């Protein structure tokens, strides 16, 4: 390779990449308004962005995935938490995260600062960014719930729960009674095997319980109901 | 050292090294906060965010001061003339150091621009710009007066001008967050994968000419090719940061394709260095300088090339974006590409600046310090990588809440911090070694004579 060719590689490579990059930058600017809902970007939102920067929030939290990695991403904080929960965290983080192993500093924000931050996070949550982050994707949540509901309607275990009238004492979702514990909570606390055994003889595992026994079901059927209830457990929840 | 004014490089390197030490101390404290519960009272006065702002700004500050010191050492030899304004170079160092220290103290009291890596408040930004202009003025006038142009100089000056211009995009307040990040990357990405690469390539070419004695024409020819490929892949490769910030979807294609090519220029640099090393015209002395040179090139390839490539494809990045995977890549890439580059240059220049005969020095504790730091950084980056993959799987894929997914990560952050202790020990030893360089004890003369042909500036690169 001659020096002339080498210089050609340098200028050809640099200028072609630069030309492409600048052309796309111009085009991107034309599309930002629609993709970020710039019409909703009012002075309160901008004031929120200034508050966000004044207290250096971004060096612990990420937003659009950029920033410190020490605290949750805030891109969809508004859809995940809602305005009220955001307000409580901002006003009294030492209370909101009392039991957490990681703390958030109390920045002594004024009520106006808190409101502008809420407006800012609401605007950010509406940015069309190819549905990132995955854990906060509403499309994913809905798909997952639909799958769960479809499986529940078809599953033999769901049919057993209906047939045995479990919901005449227990609550499940919006349905059922409140005499016994809510089934989602049981699912979060107990294993499928434990529930199956309990159904066979409630008095043995919980003397004095008002729960009737289900000895007439086979062990396999009782185990199936146990697995169904464990699957209903609300996932994790926030700390 | 052939030119008297090269001496201004020395204080730059000393300040850079001290800031490097402080950066590592803060880094260790940051890692600790991941696995130890810091009480609310301490979090209220010295939160993670403040320590992180200090850690990252110290990195940028010391790397830049290192580049500037290297420039002041390199330019007189390349132009074969004295520096135009040596006193101004000292004024510039004092100005930039004072600005940096003011920014760090300001962070402690909540004075910040509040944007990651660009936390330096706007009034201080202006002082940084003044410092940069003084630097460019000094360098450019020296080159113009000398009327002797080399590709090394052109790459260096081009990189420095590019660097200064890009800094301006980080100064304004942007109303729209998406636009804000769009230009934030013009500073961050185009610095590390554009301007810094130009500076680094110039410094590496200069060192290869000095150390190997390989013909300048050969080194410079490959410098053009490498830079062409670096900028071809690097400029449009900025797109890999534009996937999820509210930009159009063609960036998924542009970012994905151009970043897939990004390891190639680094690989070419590895091959190129290896060829120059094999064709060297003398013994590999001082051994430690060579260890740094080759180590830097290899870890540059692993950290920037491989660890970067591992998560730039949009299909993968959708799950890894903004996780500890980025942290892993960031640490290894910066260490390999720019920390080792600066340290290699310091090991090349400081013995000459101290007037040690033929640039030979007592290497003994330096080798242990190198391996302690390098293995520490490698172990730390691997621990971050495990934490990052766990986070991507638990939080992003299984949709566990952030704090639930962080529980198993705490263990890996403790492993990272343990390696951080190794890094701290190695770095403190390196700094001590560089600041107290001595002539080799005995036998130095004979070795010096054997290597004279390579080390003398007049014999190299003509």
């Amino acid at each position: 390779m001659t020096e002339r060719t080498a210089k050609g590689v340098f200028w050809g490579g640099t200028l072609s990449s630069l030309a492409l990059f600048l052309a796309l930058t111009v085009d991107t600017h034309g599309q930002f308004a629609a993709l970020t809902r710039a019409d909703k970007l009012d002075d309160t939102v901008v004031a929120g962005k200034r508050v966000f920067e004044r207290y250096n929030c971004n060096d612990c939290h990420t937003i659009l995935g950029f920033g410190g990695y020490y605290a949750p991403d805030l891109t969809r904080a508004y859809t995940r938490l809602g305005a009220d929960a955001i307000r409580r965290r901002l006003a009294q983080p030492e209370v909101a995260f009392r039991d957490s192993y990681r703390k958030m500093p109390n920045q002594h924000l004024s009520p106006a600062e808190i409101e502008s931050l809420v407006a800012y996070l609401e605007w950010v949550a509406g940015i069309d960014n190819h549905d990132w982050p995955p854990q906060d994707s509403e499309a994913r949540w809905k798909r997952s719930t639909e799958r769960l509901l479809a499986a529940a309607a078809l599953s033999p275990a769901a049919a057993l729960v209906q047939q045995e009238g479990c919901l005449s004492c227990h609550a499940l979702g919006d349905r059922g009674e409140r005499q016994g514990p809510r089934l989602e909570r049981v699912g979060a606390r107990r294993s499928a095997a434990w529930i199956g055994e309990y159904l066979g003889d409630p008095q043995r595992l919980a003397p004095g319980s008002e729960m009737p026994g289900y000895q007439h079901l086979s062990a396999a059927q009782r185990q199936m109901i146990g697995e169904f209830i464990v699957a209903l457990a609300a996932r994790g929840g926030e700390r | 050292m052939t030119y008297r004014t090269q001496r201004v490089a020395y204080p730059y390197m000393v300040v850079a090294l001290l800031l490097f030490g402080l950066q590592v101390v803060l880094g260790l404290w940051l890692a600790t906060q991941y696995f130890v519960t810091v009480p609310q009272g301490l979090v209220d006065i010295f939160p993670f965010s403040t320590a992180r702002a200090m850690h990252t700004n110290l990195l940028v500050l010391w790397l830049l001061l290192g580049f500037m010191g290297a420039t002041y050492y390199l330019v007189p030899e390349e132009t074969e003339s004295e520096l135009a304004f040596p006193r101004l170079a000292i004024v510039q160092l004092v100005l930039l150091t004072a600005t940096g220290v003011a920014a760090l103290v300001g962070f402690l009291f909540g004075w910040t621009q509040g944007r990651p890596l660009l936390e330096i408040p706007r009034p201080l930004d202006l002082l940084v710009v003044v410092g940069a202009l003084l630097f460019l003025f000094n360098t450019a006038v020296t080159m113009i007066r000398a009327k002797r142009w080399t590709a090394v100089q052109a790459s260096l000056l081009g990189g420095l001008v590019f660097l200064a211009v890009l800094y301006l995009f980080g100064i304004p307040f942007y109303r729209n967050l998406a636009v804000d990040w769009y230009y934030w990357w013009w500073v961050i990405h185009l610095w590390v994968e554009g301007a810094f690469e130009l500076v680094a390539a110039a410094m590496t070419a200069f060192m290869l000419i000095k150390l190997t004695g390989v013909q300048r024409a050969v080194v410079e020819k490959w410098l053009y090719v490498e830079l062409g490929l670096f900028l071809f892949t690097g400029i449009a490769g900025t797109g890999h940061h534009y996937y999820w910030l509210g930009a159009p979807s063609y960036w998924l294609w542009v970012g994905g394709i151009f970043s897939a090519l990004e390891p190639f220029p680094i690989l070419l640099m590895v091959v190129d260095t290896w060829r120059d090393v094999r064709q060297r015209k003398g013994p590999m002395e001082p051994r430690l300088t060579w260890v740094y040179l080759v180590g830097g090139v290899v870890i540059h390839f692993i950290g920037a090339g491989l660890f970067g490539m591992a998560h730039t494809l949009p299909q993968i990045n959708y799950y890894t974006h903004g996780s500890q995977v980025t942290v892993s890549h960031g640490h290894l890439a910066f260490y390999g590409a720019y920390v080792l580059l600066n340290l290699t240059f310091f090991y090349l220049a400081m013995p000459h600046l101290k007037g040690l005969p033929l640039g030979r020095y007592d290497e003994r504790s330096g080798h242990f310090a190198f391996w302690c730091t390098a293995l520490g950084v490698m172990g730390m980056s691997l621990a971050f990588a495990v934490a990052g993959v766990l986070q991507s799987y638990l939080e992003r894929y299984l949709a566990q809440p952030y704090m639930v997914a962080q529980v198993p990560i705490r263990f890996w952050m403790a492993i990272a911090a343990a390696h951080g202790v190794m890094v701290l020990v190695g770095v403190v030893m390196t700094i001590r070694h560089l600041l107290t360089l001595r002539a080799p004890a005995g036998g130095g003369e004979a070795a010096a004579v054997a290597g004279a042909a390579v080390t003398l500036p007049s014999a190299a690169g003509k």
Side-chain angles (χ1 to χ4, degrees):
Chain A
M1 187 186 288
T2 63
E3 192 181 316
R4 201 182 151 77
T5 323
K7 282 185 178 167
V9 170
F10 174 76
W11 287 111
T14 306
L15 295 178
S16 61
S17 191
L18 188 65
L20 174 70
F21 185 65
L22 292 179
L24 292 182
T25 295
V26 171
D27 184 79
T28 299
H29 268 282
Q31 300 201 38
F32 266 140
L35 289 166
T36 64
R37 297 185 315 159
D39 53 313
K40 301 222 165 114
L41 187 58
D42 59 20
D43 288 343
T44 320
V45 173
V46 174
K49 185 170 187 283
R50 287 192 187 276
V51 175
F52 188 70
E53 292 176 6
R54 186 176 314 136
Y55 297 101
N56 205 21
C57 309
N58 214 168
D59 259 328
C60 286
H61 291 280
T62 47
I63 192 158
L64 293 172
F66 308 122
Y69 310 99
Y70 190 65
D73 187 82
L74 297 179
T75 312
R76 302 279 185 258
Y78 189 86
T79 40
R80 197 169 61 218
L81 298 170
D84 186 55
I86 292 174
R87 280 191 202 104
R88 278 191 289 112
R89 284 162 170 73
L90 291 171
Q92 288 185 300
E94 71 282 3
V95 176
F97 302 105
R98 187 172 43 211
D99 300 326
S100 170
Y101 57 86
R102 207 174 283 175
K103 310 291 181 189
M104 170 163 151
N106 188 335
Q107 306 279 13
H108 305 287
L109 303 173
S110 72
E113 286 178 319
I114 291 179
E115 285 317 306
S116 62
L117 272 174
V118 171
Y120 176 58
L121 291 176
E122 184 181 4
W123 172 78
V124 171
I127 293 177
D128 176 4
N129 67 340
H130 309 309
D131 211 16
W132 191 92
Q135 71 272 22
D136 293 334
S137 158
E138 289 220 307
R140 244 178 107 193
W141 290 344
K142 284 178 185 158
R143 274 202 306 277
S144 143
T145 307
E146 276 161 17
R147 267 200 305 273
L148 187 68
L149 290 175
L154 293 174
S155 93
L160 277 171
V161 166
Q162 206 143 23
Q163 173 197 306
E164 299 298 327
C166 302
L167 299 196
S168 50
C169 291
H170 295 277
L172 173 61
D174 296 334
R175 319 256 301 271
E177 300 299 322
R178 294 303 190 101
Q179 200 156 348
R182 176 173 272 284
L183 288 185
E184 290 98 331
R185 302 235 170 194
V186 175
R189 235 176 28 233
R190 303 293 188 189
S191 70
W194 188 92
I195 296 170
E197 206 181 328
Y198 182 74
L199 287 170
D201 185 6
Q203 293 300 325
R204 193 168 61 79
L205 290 175
S209 166
E210 289 180 27
M211 169 99 172
Y214 290 82
Q215 299 89 341
H216 58 281
L217 298 178
S218 72
Q221 281 174 318
R222 293 198 297 263
Q223 171 75 14
M224 221 155 62
I225 294 177
E227 278 160 11
F228 175 71
I229 290 175
V230 167
L232 291 173
R235 286 276 161 251
E238 284 180 52
R239 293 257 172 118
Chain B
M1 195 179 71
T2 324
Y3 300 91
R4 191 178 40 82
T5 49
Q6 281 180 297
R7 219 165 276 165
V8 301
Y10 193 75
Y12 274 86
M13 294 172 182
V14 171
V15 175
L17 283 171
L18 296 177
L19 296 175
F20 179 31
L22 189 56
Q23 186 216 342
V24 176
V25 171
L26 280 156
L28 199 53
W29 169 237
L30 288 172
T32 306
Q33 292 178 70
Y34 272 92
F35 62 92
V36 168
T37 298
V38 184
Q40 185 75 40
L42 183 54
V43 170
D44 282 341
I45 53 171
F46 187 50
F48 181 90
S49 51
T50 303
R52 183 177 189 266
M54 296 173 84
H55 177 65
T56 52
N57 280 271
L58 277 163
L59 167 74
V60 176
L61 186 61
W62 89 258
L63 286 185
L64 288 180
L65 290 177
F67 288 160
M68 287 170 172
T71 303
Y72 284 141
Y73 182 86
L74 179 159
V75 165
E77 290 201 10
E78 282 291 297
T79 58
E80 297 178 351
S81 70
E82 293 289 351
L83 204 60
F85 310 103
R87 285 217 185 87
L88 194 64
I90 299 299
V91 171
Q92 179 212 331
L93 173 65
V94 173
L95 173 75
L96 287 175
T97 311
T99 309
V101 171
L104 293 171
V105 175
F107 294 159
L108 288 172
F109 295 95
W111 191 35
T112 173
Q113 203 188 109
R115 294 156 71 216
L117 308 184
L118 303 181
E119 292 92 345
I120 295 185
R122 292 187 174 89
L124 294 182
D125 272 341
L126 297 179
L127 292 178
V128 174
V129 170
V130 171
L133 288 177
L134 289 179
F135 173 65
L136 290 176
F137 172 73
N138 209 342
T139 312
V141 170
T142 309
M143 289 184 186
I144 292 165
R145 274 193 191 166
K147 295 199 183 75
R148 184 176 180 277
W149 292 95
T150 64
V152 171
Q153 278 180 58
S155 166
L156 183 67
L157 190 64
L160 295 170
V161 171
F162 194 26
L163 191 130
V165 169
L166 289 169
Y167 188 71
L168 302 177
F169 286 92
I171 298 178
F173 174 79
Y174 296 91
R175 285 169 62 91
N176 188 320
L177 181 70
V179 180
D180 192 340
W181 287 118
Y182 193 90
Y183 288 107
W184 188 85
W185 285 112
W186 281 38
V187 188
I188 307 306
H189 174 92
L190 289 177
W191 264 22
V192 295
E193 277 162 67
F196 277 26
E197 293 282 10
L198 284 164
V199 175
M203 284 166 67
T204 308
F206 176 83
M207 291 191 288
L208 283 174
I209 293 169
K210 293 287 157 194
L211 285 170
T212 63
V214 168
Q215 258 195 335
R216 174 180 287 270
V218 175
V219 174
E220 290 197 338
K221 187 177 75 186
W222 288 105
L223 178 67
Y224 281 119
V225 177
E226 273 165 30
L227 287 178
L229 292 178
F230 265 125
L231 294 175
F232 177 71
T233 57
I235 295 175
T238 315
H240 64 229
H241 300 294
Y242 293 166
Y243 297 160
W244 325 114
L245 60 67
S249 48
Y250 48 69
W251 286 113
L252 299 172
W253 286 95
V254 175
I257 292 169
F258 279 84
S259 11
L261 300 174
E262 276 185 290
F264 291 106
I266 313 180
L267 190 61
L268 180 62
M269 192 182 71
V270 175
V271 173
D272 191 23
T273 307
W274 183 244
R275 202 197 46 238
D276 289 346
V277 168
R278 286 181 60 120
Q279 292 175 357
R280 71 183 181 276
K281 299 192 174 70
M284 291 170 100
E285 290 289 338
R287 192 99 190 151
L288 184 59
T289 314
W290 286 84
V291 168
Y292 268 92
L293 181 76
V294 175
V297 170
V298 170
I299 301 180
H300 186 165
F301 179 68
I302 300 173
L306 298 183
F307 273 47
M309 172 70 200
H311 63 129
T312 51
L313 286 181
Q315 292 85 342
I316 294 171
N317 194 256
Y318 185 63
Y319 295 101
T320 60
H321 177 52
S323 72
Q324 297 293 334
V325 170
T326 316
V327 176
S328 165
H329 159 60
H331 281 81
L332 198 57
F334 260 106
Y335 175 73
Y338 301 118
V339 171
L340 284 178
L341 173 78
N342 262 324
L343 293 179
T344 311
F345 204 95
F346 294 176
Y347 269 112
L348 179 88
M350 286 176 105
H352 290 291
L353 289 166
K354 280 204 148 181
L356 299 182
L358 299 169
R360 294 299 157 82
Y361 54 90
D362 184 354
E363 301 177 21
R364 277 171 303 181
S365 66
H367 282 278
F368 178 80
F370 171 83
W371 288 105
C372 190
T373 313
L375 293 174
V377 175
M378 290 284 250
M380 186 173 79
S381 299
L382 286 174
F384 285 146
V386 175
V389 172
L390 264 175
Q391 189 183 359
S392 302
Y393 181 68
L394 297 176
E395 189 196 0
R396 275 66 191 289
Y397 190 76
L398 293 185
Q400 283 187 3
Y402 179 89
M403 290 299 282
V404 176
Q406 286 285 309
V407 173
I409 288 167
R410 301 178 86 191
F411 170 77
W412 292 98
M413 296 311 266
I415 300 289
H419 287 90
V421 174
M422 264 175 83
V423 176
L424 181 62
V425 170
V427 166
V428 168
M429 284 183 70
T430 306
I431 294 171
R432 192 164 161 269
H433 186 237
L434 272 167
L435 294 182
T436 57
L437 287 174
R438 283 185 309 257
E445 281 305 306
V449 172
V454 183
T455 330
L456 278 178
S458 56
K462 291 289 174 66

